[in-house]
Amino acid sequence: MRVRWAVALMVAVTSSIGVFTGSPAMATAPGLDGILSVRYLGYIYVVDPVKGLDRLGEAGVTDGDSATWSPDGSLLAVNDGGSIVTFRPDGSGGHLIITPGCLDGRVTWSPDASQIAHQSCNGVAIVDVATGQEIPIPNSLGLRWLAWSPDGEWIAGARVTGEDGDADLWKIRPDGSDLTQIVDRVGHQLIPSWSPDGSQIAFDDAAPGTNTDVSVVAADGGTVTTLTGAATNDGYPAWSPSGQRIAFNSSRDGGGLFTMAADGTDVRKVRSNYGLESPDWQPAQATITASEVVVNSGAKVRLDVRVANPDTDVPLVTIQRRVMPGTWKDFTTATVDDTGRGSVRARVLSRTLFRAVWAGDATSLGGRSAQIVVEARAIVSGTLKRYEGRQGHWYLYRNGSRVWYTGRIRPASPDEKLCFELEVLRNGRWRDVFRDCYRLQGAGTTASLYIYNIPANERGRLRASFAQTPELLRDVSPWSYFRMTG
């Protein structure tokens, strides 16, 4: 009987709307490009790139590697002697996240600040900031000096491969899939740093027997461009929030900390900076948050923005959304009050990345915020039609009649897939009979399923589901139960 049911299902699917084609917190002053975290004599400091050691605060962390800023610029995270510790830029509020074994090197935040990735004994692991729960990333053995991409899709790192012991740049998805080599050159490529728009990666580039340079490559690989090229050792690059400058360590001019334009020109030394190393630039002083990060598709969220400088004389902040990787489009503007705060509402149909862009005013440079992601969930419903009666939660049909089931996706867009699942009750257990997905053409939202040739006294259940895509989270309708009467 299972074969008869399955064949009837596959040929009986029709559409009520067209034709189916089957297929299976806020950052601190003084503003954008203003604050660097650095390591100096075993301590973590935050310094002004112009004033140098006229430091703004001492974090008081010893034995720490480089400290990395949270996406909103409110916290720093560091590998402190084998533990992951977070703290405020003034050194207060120290909080131990986890003390894992084999913790080594730089740690990196996820764009939503909910997770921190680090090197572990068996590769890369991700730690939940709130709970301290640690999840290993498969296929990540050997990845070090990690950097999470601005859109959250990749974690880049250096990986030693081959008998020559070279370290090359690789990237991997946070779930362990798509391990991809970015740069394959003789020597060592280390310390990746993503540009704020996610399109480029700057890194340490050292060929055998030569000095270390800062180079840059597209995030998907390709031609490597050397930015420094001096007869000095230059490395540990860090992009500014505007994407216009890169900070780096250098042995030139007595050694210390320098900044340069993103094309390698206009090199400037940070004053009184001998011994400063491992820079990381605080994110831009325009911030954006969402009232909800997971919503039903078609729902509205509130986007709250803030700029660093109160009493701004430029009260408009542009909200942009990403239309494709590396490409942003203006969405709307938010008017901020005299405290620098404003908000707008936005309808979210699919997975959407937003950012805030501020032009700046007479007293503070402008800039763009870290990205935020709002996930959308497709709502799927399903119901049985034209039943003869109902007993409890079972829909009753006369033997020989057809079962008509309708599923719906709300809201729908072209190329979404609506799936139908059928199970039958055999020997007290529910057993799969049929599951198939059909692509909705045009702007339709509903589709119907007819089932024929069901034996008397057979019991079954049906439900509709959405075939999950990267743009929408999956939802599933409740089961609808039916029985054929004699």
Side-chain angles (χ1 to χ4, degrees):
M1 293 301 178
R2 290 183 68 183
V3 174
R4 288 170 57 194
W5 278 44
V7 171
L9 277 164
M10 286 191 288
V11 300
V13 176
T14 61
S15 171
S16 62
I17 47 81
V19 178
F20 278 111
T21 53
S23 77
M26 299 307 122
T28 55
L32 177 68
D33 291 2
I35 302 298
L36 287 164
S37 66
V38 293
R39 189 169 186 263
Y40 176 63
L41 300 179
Y43 287 83
I44 303 300
Y45 291 83
V46 286
V47 301
D48 188 299
V50 176
K51 297 178 180 178
L53 279 180
D54 292 337
R55 57 185 180 269
L56 301 178
E58 179 181 325
V61 175
T62 60
D63 196 25
D65 207 303
S66 60
T68 55
W69 290 96
S70 63
D72 70 352
S74 64
L75 293 173
L76 287 157
V78 68
N79 167 16
D80 180 19
S83 300
I84 297 177
V85 179
T86 64
F87 48 89
R88 300 188 187 98
D90 63 1
S92 65
H95 177 62
L96 176 67
I97 302 296
I98 193 173
T99 305
C102 307
L103 175 61
D104 191 19
R106 181 177 66 182
V107 299
T108 181
W109 295 79
S110 64
D112 64 0
S114 66
Q115 298 174 312
I116 293 175
H118 68 89
Q119 182 193 2
S120 67
C121 301
N122 298 311
V124 179
I126 293 176
V127 178
D128 185 281
V129 173
T131 66
Q133 182 179 1
E134 186 178 37
I135 301 175
I137 299 180
N139 308 314
S140 62
L141 185 64
L143 279 176
R144 301 184 63 192
W145 297 288
L146 307 173
W148 213 314
S149 66
D151 63 3
E153 296 292 326
W154 297 97
I155 296 174
R159 185 168 179 252
V160 177
T161 57
E163 297 180 356
D164 55 8
D166 284 358
D168 300 310
L169 285 190
W170 293 70
K171 63 181 180 179
I172 193 171
R173 302 281 188 187
D175 63 3
S177 62
D178 297 337
L179 179 63
T180 304
Q181 190 165 12
I182 304 170
V183 176
D184 182 11
R185 286 157 66 91
V186 176
H188 295 305
Q189 293 83 54
L190 308 169
I191 323 294
S193 175
W194 293 84
S195 62
D197 64 2
S199 65
Q200 299 181 84
I201 297 176
F203 59 95
D204 282 22
D205 191 8
T210 65
N211 297 313
T212 301
D213 288 307
V214 174
S215 295
V216 68
V217 67
D220 292 330
T223 302
V224 173
T225 301
T226 301
L227 298 181
T228 50
T232 55
N233 285 312
D234 305 310
Y236 221 114
W239 290 83
S240 72
S242 65
Q244 296 176 3
R245 300 195 67 79
I246 297 174
F248 64 101
N249 295 134
S250 180
S251 61
R252 70 183 71 190
D253 193 20
L257 190 64
F258 293 76
T259 70
M260 62 180 168
D263 62 0
T265 62
D266 189 25
V267 176
R268 305 174 188 174
K269 186 174 184 179
V270 176
R271 186 175 68 85
S272 305
N273 73 87
Y274 178 78
L276 301 185
E277 59 184 10
S278 305
D280 190 51
W281 226 308
Q282 186 183 38
Q285 303 304 287
T287 63
I288 183 171
T289 57
S291 57
E292 297 178 82
V293 294
V294 177
V295 297
N296 293 339
S297 184
K300 287 187 176 182
V301 297
R302 188 186 71 251
L303 302 177
D304 295 318
V305 298
R306 185 177 179 183
V307 296
N309 190 36
D311 301 315
T312 174
D313 55 12
V314 184
L316 288 180
V317 179
T318 300
I319 309 299
Q320 296 181 331
R321 55 185 173 188
R322 198 179 73 171
V323 294
M324 63 181 66
T327 303
W328 293 82
K329 184 176 181 179
D330 289 352
F331 168 60
T332 188
T333 57
T335 302
V336 298
D337 59 20
D338 57 5
T339 68
R341 293 180 172 88
S343 65
V344 296
R345 297 190 69 83
R347 186 181 301 276
V348 180
L349 296 175
S350 59
R351 184 178 189 269
T352 306
L353 279 72
F354 294 100
R355 71 182 184 187
V357 179
W358 180 46
D361 60 19
T363 60
S364 182
L365 295 173
R368 55 176 174 255
S369 70
Q371 304 169 25
I372 60 168
V373 180
V374 181
E375 302 278 3
R377 185 184 300 279
I379 304 302
V380 181
S381 60
T383 183
L384 284 163
K385 302 288 188 179
R386 293 183 181 175
Y387 54 89
E388 299 294 334
R390 186 169 182 175
Q391 180 179 351
H393 69 288
W394 292 91
Y395 291 87
L396 304 180
Y397 290 81
R398 295 184 188 278
N399 190 29
S401 64
R402 67 183 183 181
V403 173
W404 175 21
Y405 182 81
T406 297
R408 181 171 184 254
I409 297 178
R410 178 181 60 83
S413 62
D415 294 329
E416 288 182 359
K417 291 181 181 178
L418 184 62
C419 304
F420 295 100
E421 299 176 66
L422 169 66
E423 295 181 353
V424 295
L425 189 62
R426 298 270 170 78
N427 300 321
R429 294 180 58 190
W430 289 105
R431 303 178 186 276
D432 293 334
V433 172
F434 181 87
R435 185 184 189 278
D436 206 359
C437 301
Y438 298 87
R439 193 180 300 277
L440 292 168
Q441 303 276 326
T445 61
T446 62
S448 293
L449 178 77
Y450 295 97
I451 311 172
Y452 300 89
N453 304 325
I454 305 173
N457 299 316
E458 192 78 302
R459 300 181 182 220
R461 64 182 185 180
L462 283 160
R463 70 178 177 182
S465 63
F466 171 67
Q468 186 172 357
T469 71
E471 290 75 33
L472 289 168
L473 301 179
R474 182 185 179 202
D475 193 21
V476 181
S477 74
W479 288 106
S480 293
Y481 295 82
F482 67 89
R483 179 166 64 88
M484 302 307 295
T485 62

